[in-house]
PDB file of all heavy atoms in Angstrom:
ATOM      1  N   ALA A  91     -14.930 -14.800 -17.256  1.00  0.00           N
ATOM      2  CA  ALA A  91     -14.820 -16.119 -16.585  1.00  0.00           C
ATOM      3  C   ALA A  91     -14.514 -15.890 -15.104  1.00  0.00           C
ATOM      4  O   ALA A  91     -13.803 -14.986 -14.624  1.00  0.00           O
ATOM      5  CB  ALA A  91     -13.617 -16.975 -17.166  1.00  0.00           C
ATOM      6  N   GLY A  92     -15.150 -16.694 -14.259  1.00  0.00           N
ATOM      7  CA  GLY A  92     -14.937 -16.652 -12.788  1.00  0.00           C
ATOM      8  C   GLY A  92     -15.692 -15.641 -12.078  1.00  0.00           C
ATOM      9  O   GLY A  92     -15.593 -15.648 -10.755  1.00  0.00           O
ATOM     10  N   VAL A  93     -16.548 -14.873 -12.610  1.00  0.00           N
ATOM     11  CA  VAL A  93     -17.292 -13.832 -11.852  1.00  0.00           C
ATOM     12  C   VAL A  93     -18.679 -14.391 -11.501  1.00  0.00           C
ATOM     13  O   VAL A  93     -19.371 -14.917 -12.273  1.00  0.00           O
ATOM     14  CB  VAL A  93     -17.495 -12.580 -12.746  1.00  0.00           C
ATOM     15  CG1 VAL A  93     -18.289 -11.501 -11.912  1.00  0.00           C
ATOM     16  CG2 VAL A  93     -16.160 -11.997 -13.137  1.00  0.00           C
ATOM     17  N   SER A  94     -19.016 -14.161 -10.193  1.00  0.00           N
ATOM     18  CA  SER A  94     -20.349 -14.574  -9.771  1.00  0.00           C
ATOM     19  C   SER A  94     -20.822 -13.461  -8.842  1.00  0.00           C
ATOM     20  O   SER A  94     -20.049 -12.636  -8.275  1.00  0.00           O
ATOM     21  CB  SER A  94     -20.223 -15.784  -8.920  1.00  0.00           C
ATOM     22  OG  SER A  94     -19.490 -15.774  -7.819  1.00  0.00           O
ATOM     23  N   PHE A  95     -22.202 -13.389  -8.718  1.00  0.00           N
ATOM     24  CA  PHE A  95     -22.840 -12.284  -7.989  1.00  0.00           C
ATOM     25  C   PHE A  95     -23.550 -12.830  -6.856  1.00  0.00           C
ATOM     26  O   PHE A  95     -24.282 -13.925  -7.076  1.00  0.00           O
ATOM     27  CB  PHE A  95     -23.680 -11.374  -8.969  1.00  0.00           C
ATOM     28  CG  PHE A  95     -22.895 -10.607  -9.949  1.00  0.00           C
ATOM     29  CD1 PHE A  95     -22.640 -11.182 -11.222  1.00  0.00           C
ATOM     30  CD2 PHE A  95     -22.197  -9.415  -9.554  1.00  0.00           C
ATOM     31  CE1 PHE A  95     -21.797 -10.485 -12.068  1.00  0.00           C
ATOM     32  CE2 PHE A  95     -21.515  -8.676 -10.418  1.00  0.00           C
ATOM     33  CZ  PHE A  95     -21.289  -9.339 -11.774  1.00  0.00           C
ATOM     34  N   HIS A  96     -23.722 -12.077  -5.775  1.00  0.00           N
ATOM     35  CA  HIS A  96     -24.394 -12.498  -4.563  1.00  0.00           C
ATOM     36  C   HIS A  96     -25.279 -11.224  -4.131  1.00  0.00           C
ATOM     37  O   HIS A  96     -24.701 -10.165  -3.883  1.00  0.00           O
ATOM     38  CB  HIS A  96     -23.527 -12.973  -3.497  1.00  0.00           C
ATOM     39  CG  HIS A  96     -24.151 -13.233  -2.200  1.00  0.00           C
ATOM     40  ND1 HIS A  96     -24.840 -14.424  -1.869  1.00  0.00           N
ATOM     41  CD2 HIS A  96     -24.316 -12.432  -1.060  1.00  0.00           C
ATOM     42  CE1 HIS A  96     -25.249 -14.341  -0.594  1.00  0.00           C
ATOM     43  NE2 HIS A  96     -24.970 -13.183  -0.113  1.00  0.00           N
ATOM     44  N   ARG A  97     -26.610 -11.400  -4.001  1.00  0.00           N
ATOM     45  CA  ARG A  97     -27.389 -10.236  -3.604  1.00  0.00           C
ATOM     46  C   ARG A  97     -27.564 -10.530  -1.989  1.00  0.00           C
ATOM     47  O   ARG A  97     -28.004 -11.584  -1.601  1.00  0.00           O
ATOM     48  CB  ARG A  97     -28.726 -10.224  -4.179  1.00  0.00           C
ATOM     49  CG  ARG A  97     -29.480  -8.891  -3.783  1.00  0.00           C
ATOM     50  CD  ARG A  97     -30.963  -8.995  -4.050  1.00  0.00           C
ATOM     51  NE  ARG A  97     -31.648 -10.041  -3.237  1.00  0.00           N
ATOM     52  CZ  ARG A  97     -31.880  -9.873  -1.953  1.00  0.00           C
ATOM     53  NH1 ARG A  97     -31.560  -8.776  -1.309  1.00  0.00           N
ATOM     54  NH2 ARG A  97     -32.483 -10.848  -1.293  1.00  0.00           N
ATOM     55  N   GLY A  98     -27.224  -9.540  -1.231  1.00  0.00           N
ATOM     56  CA  GLY A  98     -27.429  -9.669   0.205  1.00  0.00           C
ATOM     57  C   GLY A  98     -27.254  -8.311   0.931  1.00  0.00           C
ATOM     58  O   GLY A  98     -26.477  -7.442   0.540  1.00  0.00           O
ATOM     59  N   GLN A  99     -28.037  -8.159   1.911  1.00  0.00           N
ATOM     60  CA  GLN A  99     -27.966  -7.021   2.844  1.00  0.00           C
ATOM     61  C   GLN A  99     -26.837  -7.282   3.827  1.00  0.00           C
ATOM     62  O   GLN A  99     -26.810  -8.193   4.653  1.00  0.00           O
ATOM     63  CB  GLN A  99     -29.235  -6.755   3.565  1.00  0.00           C
ATOM     64  CG  GLN A  99     -29.249  -5.671   4.672  1.00  0.00           C
ATOM     65  CD  GLN A  99     -29.549  -4.303   4.113  1.00  0.00           C
ATOM     66  OE1 GLN A  99     -30.515  -4.175   3.354  1.00  0.00           O
ATOM     67  NE2 GLN A  99     -28.849  -3.283   4.459  1.00  0.00           N
ATOM     68  N   LEU A 100     -25.741  -6.481   3.697  1.00  0.00           N
ATOM     69  CA  LEU A 100     -24.638  -6.675   4.537  1.00  0.00           C
ATOM     70  C   LEU A 100     -24.796  -5.923   5.918  1.00  0.00           C
ATOM     71  O   LEU A 100     -25.389  -4.758   5.908  1.00  0.00           O
ATOM     72  CB  LEU A 100     -23.343  -6.199   3.804  1.00  0.00           C
ATOM     73  CG  LEU A 100     -23.031  -6.971   2.655  1.00  0.00           C
ATOM     74  CD1 LEU A 100     -21.801  -6.324   1.890  1.00  0.00           C
ATOM     75  CD2 LEU A 100     -22.616  -8.358   2.849  1.00  0.00           C
ATOM     76  N   PRO A 101     -24.260  -6.500   6.949  1.00  0.00           N
ATOM     77  CA  PRO A 101     -23.513  -7.736   7.152  1.00  0.00           C
ATOM     78  C   PRO A 101     -24.372  -9.050   7.352  1.00  0.00           C
ATOM     79  O   PRO A 101     -23.769 -10.110   7.315  1.00  0.00           O
ATOM     80  CB  PRO A 101     -22.756  -7.488   8.333  1.00  0.00           C
ATOM     81  CG  PRO A 101     -23.609  -6.697   9.270  1.00  0.00           C
ATOM     82  CD  PRO A 101     -24.428  -5.769   8.204  1.00  0.00           C
ATOM     83  N   HIS A 102     -25.637  -8.874   7.312  1.00  0.00           N
ATOM     84  CA  HIS A 102     -26.502 -10.045   7.701  1.00  0.00           C
ATOM     85  C   HIS A 102     -26.620 -11.101   6.661  1.00  0.00           C
ATOM     86  O   HIS A 102     -26.852 -12.215   7.003  1.00  0.00           O
ATOM     87  CB  HIS A 102     -27.891  -9.490   8.053  1.00  0.00           C
ATOM     88  CG  HIS A 102     -27.930  -8.390   8.974  1.00  0.00           C
ATOM     89  ND1 HIS A 102     -27.308  -8.510  10.289  1.00  0.00           N
ATOM     90  CD2 HIS A 102     -28.206  -7.046   8.889  1.00  0.00           C
ATOM     91  CE1 HIS A 102     -27.425  -7.203  10.850  1.00  0.00           C
ATOM     92  NE2 HIS A 102     -27.965  -6.367  10.006  1.00  0.00           N
ATOM     93  N   MET A 103     -26.418 -10.741   5.448  1.00  0.00           N
ATOM     94  CA  MET A 103     -26.474 -11.738   4.344  1.00  0.00           C
ATOM     95  C   MET A 103     -25.116 -11.757   3.557  1.00  0.00           C
ATOM     96  O   MET A 103     -25.016 -11.781   2.379  1.00  0.00           O
ATOM     97  CB  MET A 103     -27.578 -11.438   3.292  1.00  0.00           C
ATOM     98  CG  MET A 103     -28.948 -11.501   4.053  1.00  0.00           C
ATOM     99  SD  MET A 103     -30.314 -10.900   2.875  1.00  0.00           S
ATOM    100  CE  MET A 103     -30.169 -12.265   1.629  1.00  0.00           C
ATOM    101  N   PHE A 104     -24.013 -11.871   4.386  1.00  0.00           N
ATOM    102  CA  PHE A 104     -22.634 -12.107   3.906  1.00  0.00           C
ATOM    103  C   PHE A 104     -22.594 -13.384   3.099  1.00  0.00           C
ATOM    104  O   PHE A 104     -23.071 -14.329   3.465  1.00  0.00           O
ATOM    105  CB  PHE A 104     -21.651 -12.063   5.084  1.00  0.00           C
ATOM    106  CG  PHE A 104     -20.332 -11.872   4.636  1.00  0.00           C
ATOM    107  CD1 PHE A 104     -19.738 -10.542   4.471  1.00  0.00           C
ATOM    108  CD2 PHE A 104     -19.441 -13.011   4.495  1.00  0.00           C
ATOM    109  CE1 PHE A 104     -18.367 -10.389   4.170  1.00  0.00           C
ATOM    110  CE2 PHE A 104     -18.068 -12.723   4.084  1.00  0.00           C
ATOM    111  CZ  PHE A 104     -17.542 -11.542   3.979  1.00  0.00           C
ATOM    112  N   PRO A 105     -21.872 -13.324   1.987  1.00  0.00           N
ATOM    113  CA  PRO A 105     -21.810 -14.585   1.146  1.00  0.00           C
ATOM    114  C   PRO A 105     -21.171 -15.688   1.894  1.00  0.00           C
ATOM    115  O   PRO A 105     -20.363 -15.578   2.751  1.00  0.00           O
ATOM    116  CB  PRO A 105     -21.003 -14.186  -0.108  1.00  0.00           C
ATOM    117  CG  PRO A 105     -20.240 -12.992   0.338  1.00  0.00           C
ATOM    118  CD  PRO A 105     -21.066 -12.310   1.373  1.00  0.00           C
ATOM    119  N   PRO A 106     -21.659 -17.000   1.650  1.00  0.00           N
ATOM    120  CA  PRO A 106     -21.166 -18.186   2.398  1.00  0.00           C
ATOM    121  C   PRO A 106     -19.801 -18.575   1.875  1.00  0.00           C
ATOM    122  O   PRO A 106     -19.720 -19.420   0.987  1.00  0.00           O
ATOM    123  CB  PRO A 106     -22.185 -19.221   2.190  1.00  0.00           C
ATOM    124  CG  PRO A 106     -22.826 -18.818   0.830  1.00  0.00           C
ATOM    125  CD  PRO A 106     -22.841 -17.284   0.797  1.00  0.00           C
ATOM    126  N   LEU A 107     -18.736 -18.024   2.363  1.00  0.00           N
ATOM    127  CA  LEU A 107     -17.387 -18.315   1.887  1.00  0.00           C
ATOM    128  C   LEU A 107     -16.602 -19.030   2.989  1.00  0.00           C
ATOM    129  O   LEU A 107     -16.783 -18.861   4.172  1.00  0.00           O
ATOM    130  CB  LEU A 107     -16.637 -16.982   1.585  1.00  0.00           C
ATOM    131  CG  LEU A 107     -17.350 -16.175   0.497  1.00  0.00           C
ATOM    132  CD1 LEU A 107     -16.640 -14.816   0.372  1.00  0.00           C
ATOM    133  CD2 LEU A 107     -17.268 -16.778  -0.842  1.00  0.00           C
ATOM    134  N   VAL A 108     -15.587 -19.743   2.530  1.00  0.00           N
ATOM    135  CA  VAL A 108     -14.843 -20.537   3.582  1.00  0.00           C
ATOM    136  C   VAL A 108     -13.850 -19.704   4.233  1.00  0.00           C
ATOM    137  O   VAL A 108     -13.408 -18.632   3.798  1.00  0.00           O
ATOM    138  CB  VAL A 108     -14.062 -21.661   2.819  1.00  0.00           C
ATOM    139  CG1 VAL A 108     -14.962 -22.685   2.138  1.00  0.00           C
ATOM    140  CG2 VAL A 108     -13.034 -21.099   1.863  1.00  0.00           C
ATOM    141  N   ARG A 109     -13.462 -20.043   5.472  1.00  0.00           N
ATOM    142  CA  ARG A 109     -12.533 -19.337   6.217  1.00  0.00           C
ATOM    143  C   ARG A 109     -11.137 -19.289   5.577  1.00  0.00           C
ATOM    144  O   ARG A 109     -10.655 -20.175   5.038  1.00  0.00           O
ATOM    145  CB  ARG A 109     -12.327 -20.010   7.647  1.00  0.00           C
ATOM    146  CG  ARG A 109     -11.533 -19.260   8.637  1.00  0.00           C
ATOM    147  CD  ARG A 109     -11.392 -19.914   9.879  1.00  0.00           C
ATOM    148  NE  ARG A 109     -10.642 -19.112  10.849  1.00  0.00           N
ATOM    149  CZ  ARG A 109     -10.238 -19.428  12.120  1.00  0.00           C
ATOM    150  NH1 ARG A 109     -10.570 -20.704  12.527  1.00  0.00           N
ATOM    151  NH2 ARG A 109      -9.643 -18.608  12.875  1.00  0.00           N
ATOM    152  N   HIS A 110     -10.584 -18.098   5.589  1.00  0.00           N
ATOM    153  CA  HIS A 110      -9.246 -17.813   5.010  1.00  0.00           C
ATOM    154  C   HIS A 110      -9.199 -18.042   3.489  1.00  0.00           C
ATOM    155  O   HIS A 110      -8.190 -18.547   2.917  1.00  0.00           O
ATOM    156  CB  HIS A 110      -8.155 -18.523   5.733  1.00  0.00           C
ATOM    157  CG  HIS A 110      -8.060 -18.306   7.165  1.00  0.00           C
ATOM    158  ND1 HIS A 110      -7.540 -19.044   8.110  1.00  0.00           N
ATOM    159  CD2 HIS A 110      -8.547 -17.118   7.820  1.00  0.00           C
ATOM    160  CE1 HIS A 110      -7.601 -18.527   9.264  1.00  0.00           C
ATOM    161  NE2 HIS A 110      -8.204 -17.407   9.234  1.00  0.00           N
TER     162      HIS A 110
END
Side-chain angles (χ1 to χ4, degrees):
V93 179
S94 61
F95 293 94
H96 173 85
R97 189 199 65 75
Q99 175 89 45
L100 296 171
H102 311 296
M103 297 176 67
F104 194 85
L107 301 171
V108 300
R109 186 179 186 187
H110 301 160

